[in-house]
Amino acid sequence: MKQEIIQQTEYWNKEVNTFDSIYTAEKSKFSKWLDKVFRWDMQARYDYTFKNSEPVLDKTILDVGCGTGVFSLEFARRNAKFITGIDIAEQMINVCIERAEREGFSSKCEFIKTDLLEYKTNQKYDICIGIGLFDYIKEPQNVISKMYDVVNDRAIMSFPRFWTWRAPVRKIRLGLRKCSVYFYTKKRIDTLIKTAGFKRYDIEKVGKLFCVIAYVK
Ligand SMILES: C[S@@+](CC[C@H](N)C(=O)[O-])C[C@H]1O[C@@H](n2cnc3c(N)ncnc32)[C@H](O)[C@@H]1O
């Protein structure tokens, strides 16, 4: 396994509770205010993802870097046909499996501990998402090209923007904890998406992110 992936895996296995609490924790008024000011684009990318994937009824979904399953399980609740969530961090996958069982979705969700580049499948999914993923990918072209290979309709992705005040702060903060983080210009995303082979796409600025929908046809 590449050193980069080993470090990311260690980091995310340790961060599972902290990360999940962004979505789930009962918070003080002050924490809620901080989230509203600094993290409102997490909610915006969630809204963007579901706005651009509906109707999901009977669709198959691949959620790359599924984390604690927030997106995968929402697809299940919205009656997607089958969801595969993949993540390099076992602790994240364990949370997903437990939640899917608790909500009665085990028969239409699977969660697999793997890096996308190692994931072998003959299946093509209707929709593939990579949300909050590319922040942590050193060689994004390989990952986007693989997403193109496994999807037959559309891919939905988020990328942290390069030119924001928060980019250097995150780079230093996460770097100190041995987690590499990467940022993107619109021009770079253009090149990545085109090179992967997507025929049509739209890149939208959403706070400190770019949200992208890319179509195979
Ligand atoms: C910020 S979390 C996002 C989780 C989820 N998509 C969400 O938005 O709630 C990033 C996740 O990507 C996973 N990850 C990082 N590199 C990966 C890779 N190469 N393949 C699969 N998952 C990866 C991490 O383990 C982590 O769970």
Side-chain angles (χ1 to χ4, degrees), residues 132-154:
L133 171 74
F134 289 98
D135 317 37
Y136 310 102
I137 301 289
K138 188 177 182 187
E139 292 165 6
Q141 188 63 66
N142 297 339
V143 173
I144 297 176
S145 296
K146 176 85 182 245
M147 285 171 95
Y148 177 82
D149 289 343
V150 297
V151 76
N152 61 29
D153 182 20
R154 66 188 67 181

PDB file of all heavy atoms in Angstrom, residues 132-154:
ATOM      1  N   GLY A 132     -16.158  15.419  -0.296  1.00  0.00           N
ATOM      2  CA  GLY A 132     -15.173  15.556   0.788  1.00  0.00           C
ATOM      3  C   GLY A 132     -14.030  14.572   0.624  1.00  0.00           C
ATOM      4  O   GLY A 132     -13.356  14.229   1.594  1.00  0.00           O
ATOM      5  N   LEU A 133     -13.815  14.109  -0.596  1.00  0.00           N
ATOM      6  CA  LEU A 133     -12.804  13.074  -0.864  1.00  0.00           C
ATOM      7  C   LEU A 133     -11.533  13.663  -1.462  1.00  0.00           C
ATOM      8  O   LEU A 133     -10.419  13.351  -1.020  1.00  0.00           O
ATOM      9  CB  LEU A 133     -13.405  12.044  -1.837  1.00  0.00           C
ATOM     10  CG  LEU A 133     -12.432  11.014  -2.406  1.00  0.00           C
ATOM     11  CD1 LEU A 133     -12.076   9.979  -1.335  1.00  0.00           C
ATOM     12  CD2 LEU A 133     -13.029  10.319  -3.626  1.00  0.00           C
ATOM     13  N   PHE A 134     -11.715  14.551  -2.446  1.00  0.00           N
ATOM     14  CA  PHE A 134     -10.542  14.991  -3.220  1.00  0.00           C
ATOM     15  C   PHE A 134      -9.592  15.871  -2.414  1.00  0.00           C
ATOM     16  O   PHE A 134      -8.439  16.057  -2.795  1.00  0.00           O
ATOM     17  CB  PHE A 134     -10.992  15.664  -4.531  1.00  0.00           C
ATOM     18  CG  PHE A 134     -11.550  14.637  -5.475  1.00  0.00           C
ATOM     19  CD1 PHE A 134     -12.910  14.439  -5.582  1.00  0.00           C
ATOM     20  CD2 PHE A 134     -10.698  13.814  -6.187  1.00  0.00           C
ATOM     21  CE1 PHE A 134     -13.421  13.446  -6.411  1.00  0.00           C
ATOM     22  CE2 PHE A 134     -11.198  12.817  -7.017  1.00  0.00           C
ATOM     23  CZ  PHE A 134     -12.561  12.637  -7.132  1.00  0.00           C
ATOM     24  N   ASP A 135     -10.073  16.365  -1.280  1.00  0.00           N
ATOM     25  CA  ASP A 135      -9.200  17.089  -0.344  1.00  0.00           C
ATOM     26  C   ASP A 135      -8.000  16.215   0.036  1.00  0.00           C
ATOM     27  O   ASP A 135      -6.950  16.720   0.396  1.00  0.00           O
ATOM     28  CB  ASP A 135      -9.936  17.420   0.974  1.00  0.00           C
ATOM     29  CG  ASP A 135     -11.343  17.933   0.812  1.00  0.00           C
ATOM     30  OD1 ASP A 135     -12.046  17.443  -0.093  1.00  0.00           O
ATOM     31  OD2 ASP A 135     -11.754  18.801   1.589  1.00  0.00           O
ATOM     32  N   TYR A 136      -8.191  14.881  -0.014  1.00  0.00           N
ATOM     33  CA  TYR A 136      -7.199  13.962   0.557  1.00  0.00           C
ATOM     34  C   TYR A 136      -6.538  13.065  -0.495  1.00  0.00           C
ATOM     35  O   TYR A 136      -5.919  12.071  -0.155  1.00  0.00           O
ATOM     36  CB  TYR A 136      -7.889  13.112   1.643  1.00  0.00           C
ATOM     37  CG  TYR A 136      -8.639  13.992   2.596  1.00  0.00           C
ATOM     38  CD1 TYR A 136     -10.026  14.129   2.507  1.00  0.00           C
ATOM     39  CD2 TYR A 136      -7.958  14.781   3.520  1.00  0.00           C
ATOM     40  CE1 TYR A 136     -10.716  15.003   3.334  1.00  0.00           C
ATOM     41  CE2 TYR A 136      -8.635  15.662   4.346  1.00  0.00           C
ATOM     42  CZ  TYR A 136     -10.013  15.773   4.249  1.00  0.00           C
ATOM     43  OH  TYR A 136     -10.685  16.653   5.046  1.00  0.00           O
ATOM     44  N   ILE A 137      -6.682  13.445  -1.767  1.00  0.00           N
ATOM     45  CA  ILE A 137      -6.193  12.593  -2.848  1.00  0.00           C
ATOM     46  C   ILE A 137      -4.990  13.256  -3.520  1.00  0.00           C
ATOM     47  O   ILE A 137      -5.115  14.333  -4.118  1.00  0.00           O
ATOM     48  CB  ILE A 137      -7.315  12.336  -3.884  1.00  0.00           C
ATOM     49  CG1 ILE A 137      -8.514  11.662  -3.222  1.00  0.00           C
ATOM     50  CG2 ILE A 137      -6.779  11.511  -5.046  1.00  0.00           C
ATOM     51  CD1 ILE A 137      -8.325  10.232  -2.805  1.00  0.00           C
ATOM     52  N   LYS A 138      -3.861  12.572  -3.456  1.00  0.00           N
ATOM     53  CA  LYS A 138      -2.629  13.141  -4.010  1.00  0.00           C
ATOM     54  C   LYS A 138      -2.652  13.142  -5.541  1.00  0.00           C
ATOM     55  O   LYS A 138      -2.185  14.078  -6.180  1.00  0.00           O
ATOM     56  CB  LYS A 138      -1.433  12.331  -3.507  1.00  0.00           C
ATOM     57  CG  LYS A 138      -0.109  12.940  -3.852  1.00  0.00           C
ATOM     58  CD  LYS A 138       1.011  12.134  -3.253  1.00  0.00           C
ATOM     59  CE  LYS A 138       2.340  12.791  -3.570  1.00  0.00           C
ATOM     60  NZ  LYS A 138       3.450  11.947  -3.150  1.00  0.00           N
ATOM     61  N   GLU A 139      -3.168  12.051  -6.108  1.00  0.00           N
ATOM     62  CA  GLU A 139      -3.201  11.940  -7.573  1.00  0.00           C
ATOM     63  C   GLU A 139      -4.644  11.825  -8.053  1.00  0.00           C
ATOM     64  O   GLU A 139      -5.139  10.726  -8.351  1.00  0.00           O
ATOM     65  CB  GLU A 139      -2.366  10.733  -8.015  1.00  0.00           C
ATOM     66  CG  GLU A 139      -0.896  10.955  -7.759  1.00  0.00           C
ATOM     67  CD  GLU A 139      -0.066   9.688  -7.821  1.00  0.00           C
ATOM     68  OE1 GLU A 139      -0.607   8.626  -8.179  1.00  0.00           O
ATOM     69  OE2 GLU A 139       1.120   9.777  -7.493  1.00  0.00           O
ATOM     70  N   PRO A 140      -5.345  12.955  -8.106  1.00  0.00           N
ATOM     71  CA  PRO A 140      -6.787  12.903  -8.376  1.00  0.00           C
ATOM     72  C   PRO A 140      -7.149  12.404  -9.773  1.00  0.00           C
ATOM     73  O   PRO A 140      -8.242  11.882  -9.970  1.00  0.00           O
ATOM     74  CB  PRO A 140      -7.246  14.352  -8.169  1.00  0.00           C
ATOM     75  CG  PRO A 140      -6.029  15.171  -8.325  1.00  0.00           C
ATOM     76  CD  PRO A 140      -4.892  14.337  -7.863  1.00  0.00           C
ATOM     77  N   GLN A 141      -6.222  12.550 -10.742  1.00  0.00           N
ATOM     78  CA  GLN A 141      -6.590  12.110 -12.103  1.00  0.00           C
ATOM     79  C   GLN A 141      -6.940  10.618 -12.125  1.00  0.00           C
ATOM     80  O   GLN A 141      -7.927  10.215 -12.751  1.00  0.00           O
ATOM     81  CB  GLN A 141      -5.457  12.404 -13.101  1.00  0.00           C
ATOM     82  CG  GLN A 141      -5.870  12.138 -14.552  1.00  0.00           C
ATOM     83  CD  GLN A 141      -7.012  13.072 -14.986  1.00  0.00           C
ATOM     84  OE1 GLN A 141      -6.819  14.281 -15.076  1.00  0.00           O
ATOM     85  NE2 GLN A 141      -8.204  12.526 -15.221  1.00  0.00           N
ATOM     86  N   ASN A 142      -6.130   9.804 -11.451  1.00  0.00           N
ATOM     87  CA  ASN A 142      -6.398   8.356 -11.423  1.00  0.00           C
ATOM     88  C   ASN A 142      -7.773   8.065 -10.834  1.00  0.00           C
ATOM     89  O   ASN A 142      -8.496   7.187 -11.308  1.00  0.00           O
ATOM     90  CB  ASN A 142      -5.360   7.629 -10.550  1.00  0.00           C
ATOM     91  CG  ASN A 142      -3.981   7.764 -11.122  1.00  0.00           C
ATOM     92  OD1 ASN A 142      -3.838   8.046 -12.308  1.00  0.00           O
ATOM     93  ND2 ASN A 142      -2.957   7.578 -10.292  1.00  0.00           N
ATOM     94  N   VAL A 143      -8.110   8.803  -9.782  1.00  0.00           N
ATOM     95  CA  VAL A 143      -9.377   8.543  -9.088  1.00  0.00           C
ATOM     96  C   VAL A 143     -10.563   8.977  -9.960  1.00  0.00           C
ATOM     97  O   VAL A 143     -11.543   8.240 -10.109  1.00  0.00           O
ATOM     98  CB  VAL A 143      -9.380   9.255  -7.710  1.00  0.00           C
ATOM     99  CG1 VAL A 143     -10.730   9.145  -7.034  1.00  0.00           C
ATOM    100  CG2 VAL A 143      -8.289   8.651  -6.825  1.00  0.00           C
ATOM    101  N   ILE A 144     -10.460  10.152 -10.578  1.00  0.00           N
ATOM    102  CA  ILE A 144     -11.577  10.624 -11.417  1.00  0.00           C
ATOM    103  C   ILE A 144     -11.728   9.722 -12.643  1.00  0.00           C
ATOM    104  O   ILE A 144     -12.849   9.402 -13.060  1.00  0.00           O
ATOM    105  CB  ILE A 144     -11.367  12.107 -11.811  1.00  0.00           C
ATOM    106  CG1 ILE A 144     -11.383  12.958 -10.542  1.00  0.00           C
ATOM    107  CG2 ILE A 144     -12.457  12.579 -12.772  1.00  0.00           C
ATOM    108  CD1 ILE A 144     -11.100  14.407 -10.750  1.00  0.00           C
ATOM    109  N   SER A 145     -10.625   9.276 -13.201  1.00  0.00           N
ATOM    110  CA  SER A 145     -10.707   8.387 -14.365  1.00  0.00           C
ATOM    111  C   SER A 145     -11.348   7.054 -13.974  1.00  0.00           C
ATOM    112  O   SER A 145     -12.138   6.491 -14.729  1.00  0.00           O
ATOM    113  CB  SER A 145      -9.317   8.146 -14.958  1.00  0.00           C
ATOM    114  OG  SER A 145      -8.816   9.370 -15.447  1.00  0.00           O
ATOM    115  N   LYS A 146     -11.040   6.578 -12.767  1.00  0.00           N
ATOM    116  CA  LYS A 146     -11.668   5.329 -12.312  1.00  0.00           C
ATOM    117  C   LYS A 146     -13.168   5.552 -12.073  1.00  0.00           C
ATOM    118  O   LYS A 146     -13.994   4.691 -12.387  1.00  0.00           O
ATOM    119  CB  LYS A 146     -10.970   4.842 -11.036  1.00  0.00           C
ATOM    120  CG  LYS A 146     -11.578   3.623 -10.403  1.00  0.00           C
ATOM    121  CD  LYS A 146     -11.080   2.313 -11.005  1.00  0.00           C
ATOM    122  CE  LYS A 146     -11.738   1.095 -10.371  1.00  0.00           C
ATOM    123  NZ  LYS A 146     -10.860   0.223  -9.647  1.00  0.00           N
ATOM    124  N   MET A 147     -13.517   6.713 -11.536  1.00  0.00           N
ATOM    125  CA  MET A 147     -14.941   7.020 -11.353  1.00  0.00           C
ATOM    126  C   MET A 147     -15.647   6.975 -12.707  1.00  0.00           C
ATOM    127  O   MET A 147     -16.733   6.421 -12.846  1.00  0.00           O
ATOM    128  CB  MET A 147     -15.127   8.403 -10.695  1.00  0.00           C
ATOM    129  CG  MET A 147     -14.814   8.406  -9.208  1.00  0.00           C
ATOM    130  SD  MET A 147     -14.795  10.064  -8.496  1.00  0.00           S
ATOM    131  CE  MET A 147     -16.433  10.225  -7.850  1.00  0.00           C
ATOM    132  N   TYR A 148     -15.009   7.549 -13.722  1.00  0.00           N
ATOM    133  CA  TYR A 148     -15.588   7.533 -15.070  1.00  0.00           C
ATOM    134  C   TYR A 148     -15.788   6.081 -15.544  1.00  0.00           C
ATOM    135  O   TYR A 148     -16.821   5.751 -16.134  1.00  0.00           O
ATOM    136  CB  TYR A 148     -14.661   8.290 -16.026  1.00  0.00           C
ATOM    137  CG  TYR A 148     -15.134   8.258 -17.459  1.00  0.00           C
ATOM    138  CD1 TYR A 148     -16.110   9.150 -17.907  1.00  0.00           C
ATOM    139  CD2 TYR A 148     -14.614   7.329 -18.356  1.00  0.00           C
ATOM    140  CE1 TYR A 148     -16.563   9.102 -19.218  1.00  0.00           C
ATOM    141  CE2 TYR A 148     -15.061   7.287 -19.670  1.00  0.00           C
ATOM    142  CZ  TYR A 148     -16.032   8.174 -20.101  1.00  0.00           C
ATOM    143  OH  TYR A 148     -16.483   8.119 -21.390  1.00  0.00           O
ATOM    144  N   ASP A 149     -14.830   5.229 -15.259  1.00  0.00           N
ATOM    145  CA  ASP A 149     -14.903   3.821 -15.706  1.00  0.00           C
ATOM    146  C   ASP A 149     -16.057   3.053 -15.075  1.00  0.00           C
ATOM    147  O   ASP A 149     -16.545   2.102 -15.657  1.00  0.00           O
ATOM    148  CB  ASP A 149     -13.605   3.069 -15.354  1.00  0.00           C
ATOM    149  CG  ASP A 149     -12.446   3.526 -16.217  1.00  0.00           C
ATOM    150  OD1 ASP A 149     -12.692   4.157 -17.263  1.00  0.00           O
ATOM    151  OD2 ASP A 149     -11.294   3.257 -15.819  1.00  0.00           O
ATOM    152  N   VAL A 150     -16.432   3.423 -13.837  1.00  0.00           N
ATOM    153  CA  VAL A 150     -17.430   2.603 -13.130  1.00  0.00           C
ATOM    154  C   VAL A 150     -18.828   3.222 -13.121  1.00  0.00           C
ATOM    155  O   VAL A 150     -19.722   2.695 -12.468  1.00  0.00           O
ATOM    156  CB  VAL A 150     -17.001   2.311 -11.661  1.00  0.00           C
ATOM    157  CG1 VAL A 150     -15.708   1.498 -11.625  1.00  0.00           C
ATOM    158  CG2 VAL A 150     -16.860   3.586 -10.864  1.00  0.00           C
ATOM    159  N   VAL A 151     -19.013   4.321 -13.848  1.00  0.00           N
ATOM    160  CA  VAL A 151     -20.323   4.987 -13.798  1.00  0.00           C
ATOM    161  C   VAL A 151     -20.939   5.027 -15.201  1.00  0.00           C
ATOM    162  O   VAL A 151     -20.217   5.123 -16.193  1.00  0.00           O
ATOM    163  CB  VAL A 151     -20.177   6.403 -13.166  1.00  0.00           C
ATOM    164  CG1 VAL A 151     -19.565   7.404 -14.107  1.00  0.00           C
ATOM    165  CG2 VAL A 151     -21.491   6.901 -12.620  1.00  0.00           C
ATOM    166  N   ASN A 152     -22.276   4.891 -15.269  1.00  0.00           N
ATOM    167  CA  ASN A 152     -22.860   4.982 -16.611  1.00  0.00           C
ATOM    168  C   ASN A 152     -23.736   6.215 -16.813  1.00  0.00           C
ATOM    169  O   ASN A 152     -24.256   6.401 -17.906  1.00  0.00           O
ATOM    170  CB  ASN A 152     -23.580   3.690 -17.016  1.00  0.00           C
ATOM    171  CG  ASN A 152     -24.723   3.371 -16.093  1.00  0.00           C
ATOM    172  OD1 ASN A 152     -25.324   4.272 -15.525  1.00  0.00           O
ATOM    173  ND2 ASN A 152     -25.004   2.082 -15.911  1.00  0.00           N
ATOM    174  N   ASP A 153     -23.905   7.029 -15.777  1.00  0.00           N
ATOM    175  CA  ASP A 153     -24.678   8.253 -15.992  1.00  0.00           C
ATOM    176  C   ASP A 153     -23.916   9.490 -15.537  1.00  0.00           C
ATOM    177  O   ASP A 153     -23.482  10.296 -16.353  1.00  0.00           O
ATOM    178  CB  ASP A 153     -26.036   8.153 -15.294  1.00  0.00           C
ATOM    179  CG  ASP A 153     -26.894   9.380 -15.540  1.00  0.00           C
ATOM    180  OD1 ASP A 153     -26.624  10.115 -16.515  1.00  0.00           O
ATOM    181  OD2 ASP A 153     -27.823   9.641 -14.747  1.00  0.00           O
ATOM    182  N   ARG A 154     -23.725   9.621 -14.226  1.00  0.00           N
ATOM    183  CA  ARG A 154     -23.125  10.870 -13.745  1.00  0.00           C
ATOM    184  C   ARG A 154     -22.263  10.687 -12.495  1.00  0.00           C
ATOM    185  O   ARG A 154     -22.463   9.750 -11.735  1.00  0.00           O
ATOM    186  CB  ARG A 154     -24.232  11.881 -13.440  1.00  0.00           C
ATOM    187  CG  ARG A 154     -25.112  11.493 -12.290  1.00  0.00           C
ATOM    188  CD  ARG A 154     -26.303  12.408 -12.135  1.00  0.00           C
ATOM    189  NE  ARG A 154     -27.217  12.284 -13.259  1.00  0.00           N
ATOM    190  CZ  ARG A 154     -28.336  12.969 -13.418  1.00  0.00           C
ATOM    191  NH1 ARG A 154     -28.678  13.873 -12.519  1.00  0.00           N
ATOM    192  NH2 ARG A 154     -29.123  12.785 -14.448  1.00  0.00           N
TER     193      ARG A 154
END
